Amino acid sequence: MRVWLSAVVVLLCLASSGAYAQEHLVAKGYSSDQTSHAVEEIVQPRTDRQIARWNQMVCPQFVGFPADVEKQFEAHLEDRFARYGIPVKAHCPIPQLFILATVHEDDLIDHILERDPYLMQGIDVAPGVIDNFRVSTAFADNFRLPPADVRHAIRQDYPVRWFSDVGIEYNGQTGTHLLNGNLPPRFGGGRATALYIGEIPMTSFLGAIRHEDIKYMAITVDLSKMEGVSWPSLFEYVSMVALTNPQLKDYDTSETILGGFVKHRKPQSGDFTMTDLDDAVVREFYTNDRAEDGREETQKIASDVTASLHP
């Protein structure tokens, strides 16, 4: 884990949380084609990639929220994650999910990018030969800069922004060999414990033998842009983001909280909840085989969600 979070200074500001008329978003009046499109807009793995999920207990850390709000946020997040079978434990020594509140989001993002341009993406080296050690190309994406679109998106003035560290894991095995000798200086020196070396195949006769996990995730919330937004709405929106790690963009449909809560990079007034569509997407998201090809799995999720909402 990087050390950049130790240097983050988050300024505190209270967001208004008055009572507003409830806005229930449900997938009624939507055609099956529209529902399928909405699902595929949410679940978008990169080409030749799998769908990344949380596959371990998630330990959140909240920074910059009022103490009472932080306690409510923790309880809400634990409840939402538990609904889909993901255990959550607060106050861990090494958190994986960082939720940072600020009133100067641009400054915070600039600071993060200055301290860690790799945005927590594995070890800061390129795939291939590293001082005579060869890293398997199957794990190459553990060692690359984050895609340009991710870096571009988090510089846009969204009220909530996020990025994640997605690691490629080897199903059921270590996928490692012990190295003889010391690690290169850029790895900190010392005796080697384990690195992925050799060529790890992508598939076996029993199917894919690798999967992608969300290792760490950081979500920044600009409280200066939350006028008219209730705390429960923010809790729900951040929960959906944290569960699915979607692309940071404007979403077409208001039948998902991703499209209802933020429009044209601005939060909407009112109380929002995860919709029936959101719930169906997340349930399928965490039910399907994590080792399957991302595009094939996306089609299956779209098909299953559409069938459940349009019987």
Side-chain angles (χ1 to χ4, degrees):
M1 184 178 67
R2 300 286 201 291
V3 298
W4 59 263
L5 282 167
S6 65
V8 173
V9 178
V10 185
L11 301 178
L12 180 63
C13 177
L14 294 177
S16 59
S17 56
Y20 298 92
Q22 186 81 7
E23 292 186 25
H24 292 290
L25 304 176
V26 295
K28 295 180 179 178
Y30 247 47
S31 70
S32 58
D33 286 345
Q34 288 173 310
T35 297
S36 180
H37 169 75
V39 175
E40 291 180 351
E41 188 183 21
I42 298 170
V43 187
Q44 285 201 2
R46 295 183 179 276
T47 304
D48 298 326
R49 296 290 297 265
Q50 295 161 309
I51 295 174
R53 305 169 176 82
W54 295 104
N55 287 307
Q56 60 182 340
M57 181 174 68
V58 177
C59 295
Q61 178 174 317
F62 298 85
V63 180
F65 292 93
D68 59 331
V69 173
E70 179 177 323
K71 188 173 296 185
Q72 295 171 35
F73 211 157
E74 285 180 1
H76 187 97
L77 198 72
E78 181 177 353
D79 176 73
R80 286 294 176 269
F81 271 60
R83 179 184 295 182
Y84 308 105
I86 308 165
V88 171
K89 181 182 179 182
H91 310 297
C92 294
I94 302 178
Q96 293 91 26
L97 174 60
F98 304 93
I99 302 176
L100 312 172
T102 180
V103 293
H104 298 289
E105 195 173 25
D106 287 337
D107 292 342
L108 175 58
I109 295 297
D110 287 343
H111 180 75
I112 291 172
L113 285 169
E114 179 181 351
R115 290 297 302 271
D116 180 16
Y118 285 79
L119 298 177
M120 303 189 293
Q121 301 295 306
I123 302 173
D124 297 354
V125 294
V129 177
I130 309 170
D131 294 356
N132 298 321
F133 299 120
R134 186 164 193 81
V135 178
S136 169
T137 55
F139 298 94
D141 284 303
N142 286 348
F143 301 90
R144 287 179 179 156
L145 277 167
D149 60 332
V150 172
R151 292 169 57 84
H152 175 76
I154 64 171
R155 287 191 177 278
Q156 306 306 304
D157 59 345
Y158 286 96
V160 179
R161 309 181 204 180
W162 58 89
F163 57 91
S164 64
D165 171 17
V166 174
I168 299 174
E169 298 297 322
Y170 189 29
N171 281 353
Q173 300 185 43
T174 62
T176 64
H177 295 282
L178 295 180
L179 299 175
N180 295 320
N182 294 327
L183 283 171
R186 70 175 303 157
F187 284 95
R191 295 290 296 181
T193 53
L195 277 179
Y196 292 108
I197 64 175
E199 290 300 320
I200 307 297
M202 298 291 288
T203 60
S204 72
F205 290 114
L206 299 179
I209 62 173
R210 51 162 259 177
H211 61 271
E212 300 187 24
D213 291 354
I214 301 174
K215 298 294 188 179
Y216 298 98
M217 188 173 185
I219 300 174
T220 65
V221 178
D222 191 337
L223 297 182
S224 70
K225 299 176 181 175
M226 294 295 164
E227 183 177 358
V229 175
S230 68
W231 285 118
S233 294
L234 180 63
F235 298 167
E236 286 279 272
Y237 180 74
V238 170
S239 294
M240 182 64 181
V241 166
L243 283 161
T244 58
N245 188 28
Q247 291 184 32
L248 177 52
K249 65 170 194 172
D250 281 305
Y251 283 79
D252 294 339
T253 172
S254 60
E255 297 304 317
T256 170
I257 195 170
L258 297 176
F261 183 79
V262 173
K263 293 182 182 298
H264 306 297
R265 294 189 290 191
K266 297 184 182 300
Q268 303 301 296
S269 299
D271 288 339
F272 294 90
T273 61
M274 285 177 59
T275 69
D276 292 346
L277 175 60
D278 292 325
D279 179 69
V281 167
V282 180
R283 286 189 184 282
E284 293 297 331
F285 199 85
Y286 284 95
T287 299
N288 280 268
D289 185 354
R290 62 182 181 171
E292 291 299 320
D293 172 77
R295 294 312 305 167
E296 291 182 6
E297 195 174 2
T298 299
Q299 293 171 7
K300 184 178 187 305
I301 292 174
S303 175
D304 291 347
V305 168
T306 301
S308 69
L309 296 177
H310 300 273

